Amino acid sequence: MTDPAVTTARSRRTGDWPLVHAERAALAADLADITDEQWERPSLCTGLTVREVLAHLTAGASLNAVRWMAGVIRCRFDFDRQVAVRLAEQLGTTPAETLERFRRVVPSTTKPPLPVVAMLGETIVHGEDIRRPLGVRRAHPVEVLTRVAEYYRGSDLVVVAKGRVDGLELVADDGPFTTGSGPLVSGPTLALVMAMTGRAAHCDELEGEGVEILRGRCGTA
Protein backbone atom coordinates (compact mmCIF):
# COMPACT_ATOMS: atom_id res chain seq x y z
CA MET A 1 0.00 0.00 0.00
CA THR A 2 1.22 3.49 -0.81
CA ASP A 3 2.20 5.51 2.26
CA PRO A 4 -0.63 8.08 2.72
CA ALA A 5 1.88 10.69 3.90
CA VAL A 6 3.82 10.27 0.66
CA THR A 7 0.65 10.55 -1.42
CA THR A 8 -0.47 13.65 0.46
CA ALA A 9 2.90 15.32 -0.04
CA ARG A 10 2.88 14.38 -3.73
CA SER A 11 -0.66 15.68 -4.26
CA ARG A 12 0.22 18.99 -2.65
CA ARG A 13 3.25 19.26 -4.90
CA THR A 14 1.63 18.20 -8.18
CA GLY A 15 -1.92 19.23 -7.41
CA ASP A 16 -5.06 17.19 -6.87
CA TRP A 17 -6.24 17.25 -10.48
CA PRO A 18 -4.81 13.81 -11.37
CA LEU A 19 -6.83 12.36 -8.47
CA VAL A 20 -10.00 14.09 -9.70
CA HIS A 21 -9.45 12.81 -13.22
CA ALA A 22 -8.89 9.25 -11.99
CA GLU A 23 -12.11 9.32 -9.97
CA ARG A 24 -14.11 10.66 -12.91
CA ALA A 25 -12.68 8.02 -15.24
CA ALA A 26 -13.53 5.25 -12.77
CA LEU A 27 -17.11 6.50 -12.45
CA ALA A 28 -17.57 6.70 -16.21
CA ALA A 29 -16.33 3.12 -16.52
CA ASP A 30 -18.70 1.93 -13.80
CA LEU A 31 -21.68 3.43 -15.65
CA ALA A 32 -20.80 2.20 -19.12
CA ASP A 33 -23.25 -0.70 -19.21
CA ILE A 34 -26.08 0.18 -16.83
CA THR A 35 -29.70 -0.11 -17.99
CA ASP A 36 -32.24 2.62 -18.62
CA GLU A 37 -34.01 1.58 -15.43
CA GLN A 38 -30.80 1.98 -13.44
CA TRP A 39 -30.24 5.46 -14.84
CA GLU A 40 -33.60 6.51 -13.40
CA ARG A 41 -33.06 5.09 -9.90
CA PRO A 42 -33.10 7.56 -7.00
CA SER A 43 -29.60 8.49 -5.93
CA LEU A 44 -28.54 9.29 -2.38
CA CYS A 45 -29.06 12.96 -3.30
CA THR A 46 -32.64 13.68 -2.29
CA GLY A 47 -34.88 14.23 -5.32
CA LEU A 48 -32.22 13.41 -7.92
CA THR A 49 -31.84 10.30 -10.04
CA VAL A 50 -28.55 8.60 -10.83
CA ARG A 51 -28.58 10.27 -14.25
CA GLU A 52 -29.24 13.72 -12.78
CA VAL A 53 -26.38 13.46 -10.30
CA LEU A 54 -24.01 12.59 -13.14
CA ALA A 55 -25.22 15.65 -15.06
CA HIS A 56 -24.58 17.72 -11.92
CA LEU A 57 -20.97 16.48 -11.87
CA THR A 58 -20.62 17.41 -15.55
CA ALA A 59 -21.92 20.89 -14.80
CA GLY A 60 -19.40 21.36 -12.01
CA ALA A 61 -16.57 20.43 -14.37
CA SER A 62 -17.85 22.87 -17.01
CA LEU A 63 -18.22 26.08 -14.98
CA ASN A 64 -15.40 28.49 -14.39
CA ALA A 65 -15.63 31.19 -11.74
CA VAL A 66 -17.01 33.81 -14.16
CA ARG A 67 -19.78 31.58 -15.54
CA TRP A 68 -20.61 30.35 -12.05
CA MET A 69 -21.01 33.88 -10.70
CA ALA A 70 -23.01 34.96 -13.74
CA GLY A 71 -25.40 32.08 -13.11
CA VAL A 72 -25.70 32.91 -9.42
CA ILE A 73 -26.60 36.50 -10.27
CA ARG A 74 -29.07 35.38 -12.94
CA CYS A 75 -30.71 33.09 -10.37
CA ARG A 76 -30.76 35.96 -7.84
CA PHE A 77 -28.42 34.12 -5.46
CA ASP A 78 -30.75 31.13 -5.26
CA PHE A 79 -28.03 28.48 -5.21
CA ASP A 80 -30.46 25.55 -5.46
CA ARG A 81 -31.94 27.07 -8.59
CA GLN A 82 -28.47 27.60 -10.02
CA VAL A 83 -27.69 23.91 -9.46
CA ALA A 84 -30.95 22.88 -11.14
CA VAL A 85 -30.37 25.14 -14.16
CA ARG A 86 -26.81 23.93 -14.74
CA LEU A 87 -27.83 20.29 -14.27
CA ALA A 88 -30.53 20.68 -16.92
CA GLU A 89 -27.96 22.13 -19.32
CA GLN A 90 -25.86 18.96 -19.09
CA LEU A 91 -28.56 16.27 -18.90
CA GLY A 92 -28.91 15.71 -22.62
CA THR A 93 -31.81 13.91 -24.27
CA THR A 94 -30.80 10.31 -23.45
CA PRO A 95 -28.76 8.53 -20.78
CA ALA A 96 -26.13 7.78 -23.41
CA GLU A 97 -25.76 11.49 -24.07
CA THR A 98 -25.57 12.23 -20.33
CA LEU A 99 -22.71 9.75 -20.00
CA GLU A 100 -20.94 11.02 -23.11
CA ARG A 101 -21.06 14.59 -21.80
CA PHE A 102 -19.51 13.40 -18.55
CA ARG A 103 -16.79 11.48 -20.39
CA ARG A 104 -15.83 14.66 -22.21
CA VAL A 105 -15.13 16.48 -18.92
CA VAL A 106 -13.08 13.69 -17.32
CA PRO A 107 -9.79 15.55 -18.05
CA SER A 108 -11.25 19.02 -17.37
CA THR A 109 -9.54 21.41 -14.98
CA THR A 110 -12.38 23.92 -15.16
CA LYS A 111 -14.03 24.60 -11.83
CA PRO A 112 -16.17 27.06 -9.87
CA PRO A 113 -14.41 29.19 -7.23
CA LEU A 114 -13.55 26.21 -5.03
CA PRO A 115 -10.27 24.53 -4.06
CA VAL A 116 -9.37 21.54 -6.22
CA VAL A 117 -9.64 19.21 -3.21
CA ALA A 118 -13.31 20.26 -2.95
CA MET A 119 -13.78 19.05 -6.53
CA LEU A 120 -12.11 15.78 -5.55
CA GLY A 121 -14.47 15.43 -2.61
CA GLU A 122 -17.52 16.21 -4.75
CA THR A 123 -16.47 13.64 -7.34
CA ILE A 124 -16.03 10.92 -4.73
CA VAL A 125 -19.15 11.74 -2.72
CA HIS A 126 -21.47 12.14 -5.70
CA GLY A 127 -19.88 9.08 -7.29
CA GLU A 128 -20.95 7.10 -4.25
CA ASP A 129 -24.38 8.77 -4.33
CA ILE A 130 -24.66 7.10 -7.72
CA ARG A 131 -22.94 3.77 -7.02
CA ARG A 132 -24.68 2.74 -3.80
CA PRO A 133 -28.23 2.58 -5.28
CA LEU A 134 -26.79 0.57 -8.18
CA GLY A 135 -24.97 -1.90 -5.93
CA VAL A 136 -21.64 -0.91 -7.48
CA ARG A 137 -18.53 -0.90 -5.32
CA ARG A 138 -15.29 0.97 -5.95
CA ALA A 139 -12.11 0.25 -4.02
CA HIS A 140 -11.05 3.87 -3.61
CA PRO A 141 -7.37 4.29 -2.71
CA VAL A 142 -7.39 4.88 1.03
CA GLU A 143 -4.82 7.65 0.69
CA VAL A 144 -7.21 9.56 -1.60
CA LEU A 145 -10.11 9.08 0.80
CA THR A 146 -7.87 10.26 3.64
CA ARG A 147 -7.04 13.41 1.69
CA VAL A 148 -10.75 14.15 1.28
CA ALA A 149 -11.59 13.34 4.90
CA GLU A 150 -8.88 15.71 6.09
CA TYR A 151 -10.36 18.45 3.93
CA TYR A 152 -13.93 17.92 5.12
CA ARG A 153 -13.03 17.84 8.80
CA GLY A 154 -12.03 21.49 8.54
CA SER A 155 -14.58 22.82 6.05
CA ASP A 156 -18.25 23.74 5.82
CA LEU A 157 -17.78 25.11 2.29
CA VAL A 158 -20.51 23.91 -0.12
CA VAL A 159 -21.49 21.09 2.25
CA VAL A 160 -21.61 21.19 6.04
CA ALA A 161 -19.04 18.70 7.29
CA LYS A 162 -16.95 20.38 9.99
CA GLY A 163 -20.06 21.44 11.91
CA ARG A 164 -21.67 18.02 11.50
CA VAL A 165 -18.83 16.21 13.29
CA ASP A 166 -18.18 18.82 15.96
CA GLY A 167 -17.81 17.20 19.39
CA LEU A 168 -17.23 13.71 17.96
CA GLU A 169 -14.09 11.61 17.60
CA LEU A 170 -13.79 10.02 14.16
CA VAL A 171 -11.35 7.17 13.65
CA ALA A 172 -10.84 5.22 10.42
CA ASP A 173 -10.25 1.50 10.77
CA ASP A 174 -8.68 1.10 7.32
CA GLY A 175 -6.35 4.10 7.21
CA PRO A 176 -4.69 6.86 9.24
CA PHE A 177 -7.57 9.34 9.39
CA THR A 178 -8.60 10.55 12.83
CA THR A 179 -10.06 13.78 14.09
CA GLY A 180 -11.87 15.39 17.00
CA SER A 181 -12.70 14.33 20.52
CA GLY A 182 -15.88 13.11 22.16
CA PRO A 183 -18.14 10.11 21.53
CA LEU A 184 -16.40 7.70 19.14
CA VAL A 185 -17.40 7.04 15.53
CA SER A 186 -15.23 4.48 13.79
CA GLY A 187 -15.29 2.58 10.52
CA PRO A 188 -14.10 2.68 6.91
CA THR A 189 -12.76 6.01 5.69
CA LEU A 190 -15.29 6.11 2.85
CA ALA A 191 -18.20 5.66 5.26
CA LEU A 192 -16.81 8.43 7.47
CA VAL A 193 -16.52 10.78 4.48
CA MET A 194 -20.06 10.03 3.35
CA ALA A 195 -21.50 10.47 6.85
CA MET A 196 -19.52 13.69 7.30
CA THR A 197 -21.27 15.02 4.21
CA GLY A 198 -24.74 14.04 5.38
CA ARG A 199 -25.35 10.57 3.96
CA ALA A 200 -27.16 8.79 6.79
CA ALA A 201 -27.20 5.44 4.95
CA HIS A 202 -23.46 5.12 5.49
CA CYS A 203 -23.85 5.36 9.26
CA ASP A 204 -24.88 1.70 9.09
CA GLU A 205 -21.22 0.89 8.38
CA LEU A 206 -19.96 2.79 11.43
CA GLU A 207 -19.58 1.82 15.08
CA GLY A 208 -19.30 3.62 18.40
CA GLU A 209 -21.35 5.62 20.83
CA GLY A 210 -21.27 8.66 18.56
CA VAL A 211 -22.88 7.00 15.53
CA GLU A 212 -26.47 7.86 16.44
CA ILE A 213 -25.47 11.44 17.17
CA LEU A 214 -23.91 11.69 13.73
CA ARG A 215 -26.89 9.97 12.12
CA GLY A 216 -29.18 12.54 13.68
CA ARG A 217 -27.12 15.33 12.15
CA CYS A 218 -27.43 13.88 8.64
CA GLY A 219 -30.21 15.70 6.84
CA THR A 220 -31.11 15.53 3.19
CA ALA A 221 -28.03 15.34 0.98
Side-chain angles (χ1 to χ4, degrees):
M1 180 183 294
T2 304
D3 184 341
V6 172
T7 298
T8 298
R10 185 183 300 123
S11 69
R12 287 172 179 163
R13 184 171 62 253
T14 64
D16 290 315
W17 280 121
L19 305 180
V20 176
H21 298 157
E23 288 297 329
R24 288 174 181 162
L27 181 58
D30 284 343
L31 299 177
D33 297 314
I34 70 171
T35 66
D36 288 347
E37 179 274 328
Q38 288 175 306
W39 278 111
E40 297 309 315
R41 283 188 191 173
S43 73
L44 294 190
C45 281
T46 305
L48 296 183
T49 65
V50 162
R51 182 182 170 197
E52 288 168 334
V53 174
L54 191 69
H56 171 64
L57 282 173
T58 303
S62 307
L63 285 175
N64 60 25
V66 173
R67 288 192 67 222
W68 179 86
M69 182 54 69
V72 168
I73 293 171
R74 186 165 60 250
C75 293
R76 299 185 178 183
F77 292 87
D78 183 336
F79 293 98
D80 289 339
R81 183 183 173 198
Q82 153 89 336
V83 168
V85 167
R86 295 306 189 183
L87 182 161
E89 289 176 351
Q90 299 297 338
L91 192 61
T93 58
T94 65
E97 185 177 351
T98 306
L99 180 57
E100 181 55 33
R101 285 172 181 241
F102 181 71
R103 283 175 172 150
R104 289 201 294 264
V105 301
V106 164
S108 171
T109 56
T110 299
K111 66 179 183 65
L114 297 170
V116 180
V117 67
M119 299 294 288
L120 176 61
E122 176 154 307
T123 306
I124 289 174
V125 170
H126 284 321
E128 292 305 309
D129 287 340
I130 289 169
R131 288 186 177 99
R132 190 178 179 99
L134 299 177
V136 175
R137 296 282 183 173
R138 166 162 165 73
H140 297 274
V142 70
E143 58 271 17
V144 177
L145 295 176
T146 300
R147 174 90 173 104
V148 170
E150 289 175 345
Y151 167 71
Y152 280 132
R153 72 178 176 183
S155 175
D156 284 331
L157 184 64
V158 181
V159 60
V160 174
K162 178 183 177 182
R164 183 171 283 116
V165 300
D166 184 49
L168 298 173
E169 180 184 11
L170 274 58
V171 177
D173 62 12
D174 61 349
F177 177 70
T178 181
T179 189
S181 61
L184 177 66
V185 179
S186 66
T189 312
L190 177 61
L192 291 173
V193 166
M194 296 301 288
M196 290 168 76
T197 55
R199 277 68 181 173
H202 287 264
C203 290
D204 294 342
E205 301 171 32
L206 302 173
E207 297 180 344
E209 62 270 27
V211 172
E212 292 311 309
I213 298 172
L214 181 54
R215 190 192 302 274
R217 295 176 180 177
C218 291
T220 56

